[in-house]
Amino acid sequence: MNVNLVLAAKVFESWVELYTNNLYSWALFKTSNKETAEDLVQETFLTAHQQFEKFRGDSSPKTWLLAILNNKINAHYRKKYLQINFNQNHDTATKDLNIFHQLFDDNDRWKDKEKPMNWNADEGYLLDNREFNMVLTSCLEKLPDNWRSAVNLKYIEQKKGEIICQELDIAPTNFWQILHRAKLQLRKCLEINWFKA
């Protein structure tokens, strides 16, 4: 057996031992789904193994693996988004209409009971609060898949709108409408489950 192949196999094996937990934690943070996170980490290592000879050491192995994982995460959200057929997804269309009828009157003004409340700024930095993060994750999971994908790419992946539009193959106006509607629904969910709780 080729000595270089044996050495490469041992190096790669050590990477799996060293970085699996870090990669899994990152994938779980990005997807909020254990099975998806496990699949994405496995796909990351498969891709890294196939492209092992391309690793030149310009970055650390962990950085290289995280770059591969981030590409897998982006592809996951892109695929999830593109699988949704807007014309056939009656539930999404219904939710879309319901959120506006619930919040606004016929003149497109806030209904008195639905006006945004002032959130208490004295609560500190909410994203450091574990319980708040659980409520936020739950609210995100209640969004329609296409809305959640857009929110993840914009606010978690921190991608620019024009890049997201290219990746999701949607018009900028459609993208901004999706984000606006998602934020309205998230605000409502957080007010019910956190601020009024």
Side-chain angles (χ1 to χ4, degrees):
M1 184 177 248
N2 187 325
V3 174
N4 287 337
L5 288 176
V6 172
L7 286 173
K10 287 189 177 185
V11 168
F12 192 79
E13 200 175 302
S14 71
W15 288 4
V16 172
E17 286 183 33
L18 286 170
Y19 305 120
T20 295
N21 289 340
N22 294 99
L23 295 175
Y24 174 74
S25 294
W26 182 247
L28 184 59
F29 172 72
K30 293 288 189 173
T31 64
S32 301
N33 183 289
K34 290 180 181 181
E35 292 80 17
T36 301
E38 289 170 358
D39 290 345
L40 290 170
V41 171
Q42 186 174 22
E43 289 174 27
T44 296
F45 280 119
L46 284 171
T47 299
H49 188 267
Q50 292 165 350
Q51 298 179 1
F52 185 74
E53 69 280 353
K54 293 181 182 177
F55 179 71
R56 300 282 177 237
D58 297 333
S59 62
S60 71
K62 182 178 176 182
T63 301
W64 186 63
L65 291 167
L66 277 170
I68 294 171
L69 177 58
N70 281 327
N71 286 334
K72 299 290 180 190
I73 292 168
N74 291 340
H76 164 75
Y77 281 116
R78 206 167 28 252
K79 181 180 176 186
K80 198 168 184 177
Y81 184 90
L82 294 174
Q83 283 174 344
I84 296 166
N85 183 331
F86 290 101
N87 295 329
Q88 294 177 352
N89 194 336
H90 177 71
D91 289 342
T92 299
T94 302
K95 282 183 182 180
D96 193 7
L97 290 173
N98 285 345
I99 191 74
F100 280 101
H101 289 304
Q102 183 182 0
L103 300 176
F104 302 104
D105 63 23
D106 293 334
N107 297 318
D108 295 329
R109 293 195 174 124
W110 287 100
K111 291 183 178 178
D112 287 337
K113 291 181 180 178
E114 299 299 334
K115 287 181 181 177
M117 60 188 286
N118 289 326
W119 292 358
N120 187 355
D122 295 335
E123 292 193 41
Y125 193 59
L126 283 175
L127 292 177
D128 288 336
N129 184 317
R130 186 173 176 269
E131 289 82 17
F132 175 79
N133 277 304
M134 290 170 63
V135 171
L136 177 60
T137 298
S138 173
C139 289
L140 282 166
E141 288 173 359
K142 291 175 186 171
L143 292 175
D145 287 344
N146 57 330
W147 295 10
R148 189 169 57 250
S149 294
V151 167
N152 276 318
L153 289 170
K154 176 67 178 167
Y155 298 107
I156 295 176
E157 295 297 323
Q158 297 183 342
K159 293 195 168 198
K160 293 186 177 180
E162 60 207 39
I163 293 171
I164 297 170
C165 289
Q166 288 172 2
E167 286 188 11
L168 299 179
D169 194 27
I170 57 174
T173 52
N174 191 11
F175 171 64
W176 293 113
Q177 285 175 348
I178 288 169
L179 277 186
H180 178 68
R181 292 167 183 168
K183 288 190 283 186
L184 285 174
Q185 189 162 319
L186 281 172
R187 180 195 65 81
K188 182 72 176 168
C189 182
L190 287 171
E191 286 186 352
I192 290 169
N193 295 292
W194 181 261
F195 291 101
K196 289 183 180 175

